[in-house]
Each structure stands twice: as structure tokens, then as C-alpha cells.
Amino acid sequence: MTTIGIIGAGHIGSQLARAFTGLGYDVVIANSRGPETLSALVAEIGPKARAATAEEAAEAADFAVATVPLKAIDEIPVAPLAGKIVLDTCNYYWERDGHIAALDRGEATTSGLVQEHLPTSKVVKAFNHITAADITSTGSPAGTPDRRALGTASDYPDAIALVTELYDRLGFDTVSAGPLSESWRLERDRPAYVVRQNAEELRANLAKAFRVPPTAD
């Protein structure tokens, strides 16, 4: 049975743990405060989930999800994720993370920063432009008219294929923005961010995205 390591137990991480165990996966979930603080979440989810440290979750994972504040990506374990696909849900909130000049100038992407931190992993953008509650409430079977679509981006075709499978099993079509260098099209303040859209609409929103969004000081 495939085990998914989830590093980060906020709204998205917790909801993905619920969603993935619902698909039959085993989940090992970690946060920055220690496994004992996740006892209520694990009890709610049931026997297919367990809490662990970030290192343990990374070690146990067949593939992993990194869902931490962008300012905390240095806390994602590197060595135990070598060779593994890592789904990156991270978003840049300068109000929380502090200003990152390369992102403000449009010279980097959030997923690119995660890939730099995890040079031996296969990073793929996923689940970053959907609210947590919508992950388990807005999916529909393949072929449903106007089926909601979610975006992804990666330099690795096998990572794109994995996210496409997960999206489909959860009830979403997939649109790829291309390599990680194009993943900014899915980031905060762009047209595709946190709106309900079908595949055609998502492709259009990716195409009209602007490289540097307006931000406040």
C-alpha cells in the first residue's frame, strides 16, 4: 500500500490527509510542534493515518506533500526525500513570510524555491490554488460537464502524471502549466488562483496571467 508523507498539518495538509485516506492511502503527517499535538486529527481520520516527525514522515513516504509556510521550507527534510516526488502546495504571502525580493521581482517561483531546497527530489506544484474545504467538496466524476480543473507544473513528467491521477481520483481535471519555471501562473493574485474553473477556463486564466502581480508594501 502506498504511503504518503504530509509535512505540514495546517488547513491544506489536514484536508489532504482526510482526502488521501479516503482514497485508501496510508498517511504519515507531521507538523512543527510534534506528533503529540496531532492526536485529535489522527483520531478523527482513523487507522490509515498516524502522526510523526517531519523526518519520519519523509522517510516513510513513497511520495510526499510539502505544505508549510514558504518561510519554513528550510525545515523540510532533504535527505529522506531524495529521489521521491514531492507535491508542493506552498504559496507566497509576504504579509506572513516577509518580502522575498526574487518573488516580488518575478525572478523566481515558489515551487522553484522548494525545488532548490530539495535538489534531489522531483517537485511538482499541486493543490495550491484551491481552498482546503473545496478539496473534498467540489470534485465530480470524470466526464461531468463543467468539471472543476486544478493546475500543476513540474520538470518531471512522472510527477505530473502522479498529480493528474490524484486529481482525477479526487474528482478534478488537470491542466499543466508546463515546467516549474511557469508555475508562477498558478500563484497567488493571478487569475487562476482560488477560483472555480473548468479545464478550458483554467487554460485561459493561465495564458492571461501577469508575471508580477501588484503587492502592497
Side-chain angles (χ1 to χ4, degrees):
M1 179 58 65
T2 299
T3 297
I4 305 174
I6 300 180
I7 300 167
H11 294 301
I12 294 292
S14 297
Q15 196 72 343
L16 286 177
R18 297 180 183 100
F20 290 150
T21 55
L23 295 178
Y25 293 103
D26 292 321
V27 165
V28 183
I29 188 167
N31 65 8
S32 61
R33 296 178 295 139
E36 66 280 359
T37 65
L38 295 172
S39 57
L41 175 65
V42 169
E44 173 213 323
I45 294 173
K48 297 196 75 63
R50 67 180 176 90
T53 66
E55 288 277 345
E56 291 166 342
E59 287 278 5
D62 293 300
F63 65 90
V65 179
T67 180
V68 300
L70 192 63
K71 64 181 179 180
I73 60 173
D74 287 347
E75 300 174 14
I76 302 170
V78 177
L81 292 174
K84 298 178 181 180
I85 294 172
V86 177
L87 280 62
D88 161 45
T89 81
C90 299
N91 285 305
Y92 174 40
Y93 290 95
W94 57 265
E95 304 92 334
R96 173 197 65 193
D97 302 316
H99 278 287
I100 299 172
L103 293 176
D104 291 339
R105 295 193 300 262
E107 298 171 355
T109 67
T110 56
S111 290
L113 296 179
V114 176
Q115 182 69 81
E116 289 177 12
H117 175 66
L118 300 172
T120 55
S121 301
K122 300 177 179 181
V123 172
V124 56
K125 197 75 175 171
F127 296 106
N128 80 295
H129 69 121
I130 182 172
T131 60
D134 283 359
I135 292 171
T136 54
S137 63
T138 61
S140 56
T144 300
D146 203 37
R147 190 190 200 200
R148 186 169 184 172
L150 296 178
T152 187
S154 181
D155 297 335
Y156 299 95
D158 55 335
I160 294 280
L162 173 61
V163 169
T164 300
E165 178 186 357
L166 292 172
Y167 280 172
D168 184 57
R169 293 190 67 192
L170 289 171
F172 305 102
D173 286 339
T174 302
V175 174
S176 173
L180 280 188
S181 60
E182 294 295 312
S183 62
W184 60 268
R185 297 178 183 275
L186 290 160
E187 291 177 355
R188 176 194 177 188
D189 295 330
R190 274 75 175 194
Y193 190 69
V194 194
V195 295
R196 195 207 182 285
Q197 57 212 310
N198 61 30
E200 181 180 357
E201 291 165 338
L202 177 51
R203 291 187 190 96
N205 283 333
L206 294 177
K208 67 184 180 184
F210 33 85
R211 188 66 177 93
V212 181
T215 58
D217 293 328

